[in-house]
Amino acid sequence: MKSARLHAFTQNPADIRVEDIAVPEPGPGQVRVRMLFSPVNPSDLNFVHGTYHSALQRIIWNYTPGQKQAEVYYDPARRNKCPVPPYSLGGEGVGVVEACGSGFLARRLLGKRVAIAGGPPAGCWQEYCIADAKKAVAMTDDIPDQQAAMFFINPLTAYVLIREVLRVRKGQWVLLSAAGSALGKSVVRMGQRDGFKTICVVRSSTNSDELRALGADAVIETDKQDLLAEVFRITGGQGARHALDCIGGKLADDLVQCLGLDGQLVVYGTLSGTPMQIPGRDLMMPVARISGFFLSNWLAQQSPLKLLGTLRAVKQLTRQGVFHTEVTEVFPLEQVVDAVAAASKPGRTGKVLLRLSAG
Ligand SMILES: NC(=O)c1ccc[n+]([C@@H]2O[C@H](COP(=O)([O-])OP(=O)(O)OC[C@H]3O[C@@H](n4cnc5c(N)ncnc54)[C@H](OP(=O)(O)O)[C@@H]3O)[C@@H](O)[C@H]2O)c1
């Protein structure tokens, strides 16, 4: 079968190769999924660049005096290893279960269309994937293939950030950077539905009209407008109770200045690649907080019951269109390098998908 593989961390996505590898066999409790579609997400590029691996090398539980560890883990218990290439890429996707190992759950999924998540070493950018039956979510007919391919990463993150991490209440302000992203638009729709207010920060006007149409209360274009002055005007000088940032650098520093008393900024991405440099007193005076978020580590800390409830809620909102994401281009797996280049271009209005096999 064809698989999009990486042989070493690289800054050049042209190094991704489509190779022929053996079709995998499902073990007990597993299913084999014939993949249909998979998105190109920013997290996929992190697996190309080695961003997760180098960040984990700096974390205390991977610390070894005087050494840079080659083997690093996502968790202090060292159960979840961060893989290194060679590996197959792709963080999530949708497909049809064609074969199963032993077990009731696996057998029950046979012939069903499922959304799966799980990146390298055996990622989703291949013709077939093995998934744990417990973690494959059957899709109902009202969720189209292309939307089902994006069921996990952004919808779950948007939901958990708003409902579980920030616990945003009706009427409160949420300030969000990269608001034209798939995740940003989902937060805006959640605001419209749940009654919280959104201030969308974008670096150009490409997505501004769409954000307003989705229900954004305000849009700030940082290429033309002053962030602090606009947030002051919009919030009547009070600042935002909540902020979400996936850019980092100077913009994240500025977002902290826009927080109101007891406000919180959650950092969940680093798209600019530039570190934050926040004066301590910008946090002290407003008694503000900055916290980090990484979906897989959040999920790993939840009980099975909590996970089930969260997935059910996300599926319900997906069926209602809250997480709808426009698809701007679809590439065959053979053109994975072009797909990654298209996904890396500024000014997109939607996602780039890979078509992994015929429907
Ligand atoms: N922590 C987690 O567990 C987790 C989970 C899911 C997603 N995420 C993160 O969430 C973020 C959004 O993901 P997505 O899939 O929704 O993204 P997306 O749809 O691919 O969109 C990316 C957006 O980022 C903007 N952008 C990129 N580089 C920028 C820069 N240097 N300055 C300002 N804006 C920039 C783009 O703006 P233009 O339109 O102007 O080009 C675009 O709107 C990513 O950082 C992703 O890694 C994190």
Side-chain angles (χ1 to χ4, degrees):
M1 68 164 183
K2 291 194 178 65
S3 172
R5 293 178 60 78
L6 192 78
H7 285 264
F9 291 135
T10 175
Q11 294 306 309
N12 182 6
D15 293 336
I16 302 169
R17 296 187 210 153
V18 178
E19 295 175 341
D20 261 316
I21 61 171
V23 175
E25 288 303 324
Q30 293 182 328
V31 292
R32 184 171 68 220
V33 183
R34 181 173 55 80
M35 297 301 292
L36 298 171
F37 293 102
S38 179
V40 180
N41 285 322
S43 50
D44 295 315
L45 292 180
N46 291 335
F47 279 108
V48 173
H49 299 152
T51 313
Y52 295 140
H53 194 269
S54 61
L56 286 164
Q57 283 181 322
R58 300 191 294 271
I59 306 286
I60 186 109
W61 60 75
N62 289 314
Y63 173 74
T64 306
Q67 267 185 47
K68 256 201 169 176
Q69 288 287 67
E71 206 163 84
V72 297
Y73 293 82
Y74 285 103
D75 58 320
R78 297 188 161 218
R79 285 198 196 96
N80 191 6
K81 191 153 112 180
C82 181
V84 288
Y87 53 45
S88 299
L89 294 159
E92 64 178 336
V94 67
V96 177
V97 175
E98 276 202 349
C100 67
S102 59
F104 170 73
L105 271 183
R107 276 199 299 274
R108 215 180 56 162
L109 287 177
L110 211 52
K112 295 221 165 86
R113 203 170 53 112
V114 292
I116 61 171
C124 293
W125 293 355
Q126 6 188 40
E127 288 177 296
Y128 295 92
C129 280
I130 297 296
D132 190 338
K134 277 193 244 137
K135 295 181 180 161
V137 178
M139 292 285 105
T140 43
D141 290 346
D142 54 354
I143 306 177
D145 287 346
Q146 296 191 352
Q147 295 301 310
M150 302 176 276
F151 172 78
F152 273 103
I153 297 181
N154 284 328
L156 261 174
T157 302
Y159 179 89
V160 171
L161 284 172
I162 294 297
R163 295 266 177 97
E164 302 287 341
V165 177
L166 291 171
R167 295 173 187 267
V168 180
R169 293 201 301 271
K170 249 189 170 118
Q172 290 183 327
W173 284 108
V174 177
L175 176 64
L176 60 148
S177 62
S181 63
L183 198 146
K185 288 173 186 167
S186 294
V187 169
V188 170
R189 281 201 206 86
M190 286 183 78
Q192 183 72 355
R193 189 193 140 90
D194 295 355
F196 63 82
K197 297 185 283 186
T198 47
I199 306 176
C200 291
V201 181
V202 290
R203 62 177 167 183
S204 74
S205 61
T206 317
N207 282 291
S208 301
D209 288 343
E210 188 187 346
L211 287 166
R212 286 188 197 98
L214 291 177
D217 293 276
V219 178
I220 303 174
E221 296 170 359
T222 51
D223 58 345
K224 305 180 195 74
Q225 292 172 291
D226 182 273
L227 179 66
L228 201 61
E230 283 303 304
V231 175
F232 183 90
R233 184 183 63 75
I234 294 160
T235 63
Q238 299 301 299
R241 175 66 191 233
H242 310 285
L244 290 170
D245 180 55
C246 61
I247 302 295
K250 167 87 169 70
L251 183 68
D253 303 350
D254 294 347
L255 291 173
V256 168
Q257 282 187 31
C258 295
L259 288 174
L261 201 60
D262 205 22
Q264 182 177 3
L265 168 78
V266 180
V267 173
Y268 70 98
T270 56
L271 286 170
S272 71
T274 317
M276 301 159 75
Q277 284 190 315
I278 293 160
R281 288 211 176 264
D282 289 9
L283 288 174
M284 290 163 64
M285 298 313 177
V287 208
R289 279 166 293 162
I290 301 180
S291 58
F293 179 82
F294 188 59
L295 181 65
S296 49
N297 272 350
W298 187 88
L299 294 173
Q301 288 175 293
Q302 309 309 310
S303 68
L305 205 64
K306 177 80 183 178
L307 287 178
L308 201 66
T310 306
L311 279 175
R312 277 209 183 120
V314 169
K315 193 169 169 184
Q316 188 61 22
L317 292 173
T318 300
R319 297 177 72 181
Q320 293 167 7
V322 173
F323 302 123
H324 178 85
T325 297
E326 186 197 341
V327 172
T328 46
E329 282 176 279
V330 181
F331 290 84
L333 178 57
E334 291 79 359
Q335 289 175 24
V336 60
V337 171
D338 297 333
V340 170
S344 307
K345 275 192 200 133
R348 271 182 297 112
T349 54
K351 278 281 172 201
V352 172
L353 294 194
L354 285 169
R355 182 193 295 279
L356 302 165
S357 67

